[in-house]
């Protein structure tokens, strides 16, 4: 199984000057079995940005595409409606809405005038490939109007109930904010996510947000559980000078001889220059 991991496309004002057609040609040359997109597909959560992001994602030649929401995709009252319309229409409601504590997780329907008044976007998709069933669990680590990450405990309890009822071989967890990294806008209750990861014995966590590469394995010696987090930098944002655009391609996932291709992308006029490194795991 080969996996393409992209993140932080940032359609809108923060989108790069690079040629997206050339980028798509490169991405499609990998013939990935799965595409994982770890959030911030837009910059200001506008309809035109979601439409551009959707067109781009639909141009990747892979039917198994999974995208989560990022903090930049959750900037206005219509964000959840637009995400459902253009990116992923899955929705999981909390078991007990009264127990939700995340700010603005529900909007007042008499004021908001939007279709969906529940703003958290979590999903569990089932993927069967080569006789193995993988649950792709997307957790919304974002809070409306905020860049900091926040996880609602009641949503984790709800997701746990769904997972406990499912039959599967392994879980891939996708979350925009990393459970291990810190930056100016971190996931401030990451212990909740780490407990969830241990509880369900999740071994692989895919993230974005920081625009910086990070590949780390963390071991909890008390729980006797290890997981690896894969954080990709931004695919196509107008970055700060110290960041580079990139994507990750995991070749022969979880098999002997698995390789991680780190592909850095540089804009040179109308051309894109790709510089590839191989990381052995
Ligand atoms: Fe982000």
């Amino acid at each position: 199984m080969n996996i393409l991991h992209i993140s932080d496309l940032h359609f809108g004002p923060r989108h790069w000057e690079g040629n997206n057609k050339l980028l798509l040609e490169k991405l499609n040359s990998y013939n990935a079995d799965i595409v994982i997109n770890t959030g911030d597909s837009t910059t200001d959560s506008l309809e035109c940005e979601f439409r551009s992001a959707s067109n781009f994602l639909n141009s990747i030649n892979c039917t198994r595409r999974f995208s989560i929401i990022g903090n930049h995709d959750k900037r206005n009252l219509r964000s959840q409606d637009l995400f459902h319309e253009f990116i992923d229409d899955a929705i999981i409601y909390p078991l007990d809405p009264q127990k939700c504590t995340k700010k603005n997780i529900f909007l007042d329907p008499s004021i908001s005038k939007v279709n969906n008044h529940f703003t958290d976007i979590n999903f569990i998709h089932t993927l069967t490939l080569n006789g193995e069933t993988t649950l792709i669990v997307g957790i919304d680590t974002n809070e409306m109007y905020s860049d900091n990450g926040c996880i609602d405990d009641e949503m984790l309890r709800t997701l746990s109930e769904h997972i406990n009822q499912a039959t599967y071989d392994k879980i891939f967890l996708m979350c925009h904010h990393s459970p291990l990294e810190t930056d100016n806008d971190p996931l401030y209750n990451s212990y909740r996510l780490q407990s969830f990861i241990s509880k369900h014995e999740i071994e692989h966590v895919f993230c974005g947000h920081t625009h910086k590469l990070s590949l780390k394995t963390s071991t909890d010696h008390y729980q006797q559980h290890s997981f690896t987090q894969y954080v990709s930098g931004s695919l196509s944002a107008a970055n700060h000078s110290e960041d580079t655009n990139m994507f990750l391609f995991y070749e022969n996932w979880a098999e002997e001889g698995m390789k991680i291709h780190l592909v850095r992308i540089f804009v040179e006029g109308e051309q894109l220059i790709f510089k590839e490194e191989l990381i052995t795991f």
Side-chain angles (χ1 to χ4, degrees):
M1 179 164 76
N2 298 322
I3 303 171
L4 183 62
H5 180 184
I6 59 177
S7 198
D8 296 78
L9 279 58
H10 278 286
F11 279 91
R14 210 180 156 179
H15 199 57
W16 71 348
E17 295 293 315
N19 185 318
N20 286 330
K21 197 163 167 279
L22 292 176
L23 178 58
L24 280 165
E25 278 175 20
K26 179 69 173 173
L27 296 177
N28 282 330
S29 71
Y30 287 85
N31 288 317
D33 297 303
I34 305 175
V35 176
I36 284 175
N37 169 25
T38 43
D40 281 357
S41 297
T42 71
T43 300
D44 281 330
S45 321
L46 301 177
E47 180 168 349
C48 58
E49 297 174 3
F50 274 110
R51 192 182 298 281
S52 299
S54 171
N55 287 340
F56 183 90
L57 292 166
N58 288 337
S59 300
I60 300 176
N61 294 333
C62 177
T63 53
R64 305 177 195 94
R65 291 192 304 268
F66 304 96
S67 295
I68 51 170
I69 193 163
N71 54 308
H72 279 268
D73 305 318
K74 216 167 171 179
R75 288 250 195 272
N76 63 57
L77 293 174
R78 295 189 64 215
S79 305
Q80 63 282 356
D81 279 351
L82 293 170
F83 191 87
H84 284 137
E85 182 179 349
F86 288 102
I87 308 290
D88 191 311
D89 61 0
I91 187 160
I92 294 175
Y93 286 102
L95 290 168
D96 186 349
Q98 302 297 324
K99 287 187 179 162
C100 289
T101 55
K102 194 189 270 191
K103 215 170 150 190
N104 296 313
I105 197 166
F106 288 97
L107 304 174
D108 180 346
S110 65
I111 296 171
S112 67
K113 304 289 190 296
V114 295
N115 295 330
N116 199 324
H117 307 289
F118 175 56
T119 65
D120 228 40
I121 296 184
N122 303 275
F123 60 73
I124 299 176
H125 293 305
T126 303
L127 172 79
T128 303
L129 198 64
N130 304 328
E132 204 174 50
T133 300
T134 303
L135 293 188
I136 313 281
V137 178
I139 292 188
D140 191 339
T141 56
N142 312 285
E143 194 172 60
M144 274 187 80
Y145 311 130
S146 173
D147 288 328
N148 284 324
C150 173
I151 292 204
D152 190 282
D153 243 350
E154 182 59 11
M155 277 318 305
L156 289 184
R157 187 175 78 89
T158 303
L159 288 165
S160 286
E161 288 284 309
H162 284 268
I163 290 170
N164 291 341
Q165 288 166 20
T167 305
Y168 58 90
D169 296 298
K170 62 175 179 285
I171 297 177
F172 285 174
L173 178 63
M174 299 173 63
C175 46
H176 185 61
H177 297 79
S178 150
L180 300 177
E181 299 299 303
T182 55
D183 66 351
N184 291 337
D185 311 303
L187 177 60
Y188 62 80
N189 50 18
S190 58
Y191 63 93
R192 291 181 179 171
L193 188 54
Q194 290 175 18
S195 304
F196 180 88
I197 289 167
S198 292
K199 180 176 165 185
H200 293 289
E201 299 179 344
I202 295 169
E203 294 178 0
H204 308 290
V205 182
F206 299 87
C207 313
H209 184 60
T210 59
H211 293 205
K212 297 221 182 323
L213 175 76
S214 173
L215 302 167
K216 284 181 185 162
T217 298
S218 169
T219 300
D220 183 326
H221 290 282
Y222 183 62
Q223 300 292 341
Q224 299 204 331
H225 178 71
S226 293
F227 72 93
T228 303
Q229 74 156 25
Y230 311 82
V231 182
S232 181
S234 80
L235 180 73
S236 54
N239 275 324
H240 303 295
S241 54
E242 67 271 24
D243 301 336
T244 55
N245 292 104
M246 71 178 70
F247 63 86
L248 293 163
F249 180 69
Y250 310 94
E251 184 183 356
N252 299 324
W253 176 266
E255 292 171 27
E256 204 175 318
M258 172 179 165
K259 289 176 189 157
I260 299 181
H261 300 244
L262 161 63
V263 183
R264 295 188 190 271
I265 316 159
F266 301 90
V267 180
E268 288 206 5
E270 277 301 296
Q271 298 303 310
L272 297 180
I273 308 294
F274 300 101
K275 292 188 178 165
E276 188 162 333
E277 292 170 47
L278 266 188
I279 302 164
T280 46
F281 239 58

